[in-house]
Amino acid sequence: MRSIIAAIVFVFVTILLSLLSIPAALFDRSGSAYLWLARIWSKIFLLLFGVNLKISGLENIHKSEHYVFVVNHSSYTDIPIIFAAIPKDVRLILRKRLTRIPIWGWALMLSPMIIIDRSNPSKAKKTLANAIEIVRKGASVLLFPEGTRTTTGELQSFKRGAFHMAYESGAKVVPVAIKGSFDLMPRSAKLPSPNKTVHVSIGQTLEVNPEIENDRQREMDLMSRAEESVRKMLG
């Protein structure tokens, strides 16, 4: 019953904050107002569903630097969890289909988030090129390198796109592990289960290995090390 009541309240909160974020996104092109509202939205989610969020590794990230965050993806709840856990302004790379959700999706279209259309390879490639420029200009970007949510709770193999972005932009990679969001809301669930504990572990930054000469191999090495780091943090 608590999940149903919490879900109804959260829907109303999402609609209200989405409506507020539309003018915020239009008049504040820096995106800071939208991201501030997103953090409020995420903390309300945690409060409503009684999520006990534990964060470790914050000392690995610094306000003066920008990063490419790579995070495992187990649940729809990963989005509010990550906004609540990471204190930096980050641009998430999200699938275009999320923009089809009424009101919330409309606000998302106007937001500083990076929307990618995976059904169109040429558009997806252009979006990643634009994201590289955004990172070069000093923004931090967050991706789910598995590409989709896990169906079993186990970490899936990473894909190369995030690490190509990090290599081309010169940004450091930060591996992040979310542990517990699958129990909170697995892929088959309709609603989150209340009173769960979720651990977010922020790993040490990773940089390109200068001893590797081939560009593709540098990216693959970076990907391998990031996946290994997330896997270790998940235990």
Side-chain angles (χ1 to χ4, degrees):
M1 180 59 73
R2 174 173 176 172
S3 289
I4 295 172
I5 294 171
I8 292 170
V9 174
F10 187 61
V11 167
F12 280 106
V13 168
T14 300
I15 291 171
L16 176 61
L17 291 179
S18 295
L19 290 172
L20 289 173
S21 70
I22 290 173
L26 287 171
F27 291 104
D28 176 20
R29 299 312 298 171
S30 71
S32 58
Y34 180 95
L35 293 166
W36 179 72
L37 288 169
R39 285 199 181 89
I40 292 175
W41 172 76
S42 64
K43 289 176 181 179
I44 290 173
F45 168 81
L46 299 179
L47 180 65
L48 286 172
F49 288 98
V51 179
N52 180 22
L53 182 61
K54 296 184 178 294
I55 308 165
S56 62
L58 286 171
E59 69 277 5
N60 293 325
I61 56 177
H62 305 281
K63 287 185 177 181
S64 60
E65 295 192 45
H66 60 282
Y67 306 99
V68 172
F69 292 91
V70 291
V71 189
N72 64 301
H73 197 14
S74 302
S75 167
Y76 277 136
T77 63
D78 291 338
I79 294 176
I81 286 167
I82 212 70
F83 271 126
I86 295 181
K88 289 184 68 66
D89 287 350
V90 292
R91 276 67 172 157
L92 273 65
I93 296 186
L94 301 170
R95 288 188 173 189
K96 187 177 180 180
R97 68 182 184 185
L98 292 175
T99 63
R100 299 172 191 157
I101 299 171
I103 304 177
W104 186 75
W106 306 340
L108 195 61
M109 282 292 290
L110 297 170
S111 77
M113 302 301 114
I114 300 166
I115 310 300
I116 189 166
D117 184 359
R118 294 187 183 274
S119 65
N120 188 319
S122 62
K123 284 186 178 180
K125 188 175 181 179
K126 186 177 180 180
T127 299
L128 287 176
N130 290 337
I132 289 169
E133 288 304 312
I134 289 171
V135 177
R136 282 176 178 164
K137 290 176 181 177
S140 291
V141 170
L142 185 145
L143 303 90
F144 298 110
E146 294 164 280
T148 187
R149 287 170 294 147
T150 177
T151 58
T152 64
E154 299 296 321
L155 184 69
Q156 304 170 98
S157 297
F158 283 5
K159 293 179 171 58
R160 183 169 150 241
F163 307 96
H164 174 71
M165 179 187 301
Y167 177 63
E168 291 295 329
S169 66
K172 295 177 183 177
V173 170
V174 180
V176 180
I178 303 177
K179 187 175 182 179
S181 65
F182 186 80
D183 292 332
L184 177 62
M185 188 180 179
R187 190 162 182 161
S188 59
K190 301 296 183 184
L191 295 173
S193 300
N195 304 321
K196 298 289 187 181
T197 296
V198 175
H199 297 262
V200 175
S201 302
I202 302 169
Q204 294 184 344
T205 56
L206 303 174
E207 298 184 62
V208 170
N209 185 347
E211 296 181 3
I212 300 174
E213 296 183 1
N214 181 277
D215 290 347
R216 180 182 174 85
Q217 288 303 316
R218 283 181 170 182
E219 293 171 13
M220 297 297 288
D221 171 73
L222 197 57
M223 181 179 74
S224 176
R225 286 187 284 135
E227 183 177 332
E228 181 182 3
S229 176
V230 172
R231 198 175 296 279
K232 284 182 178 179
M233 287 187 287
L234 289 173

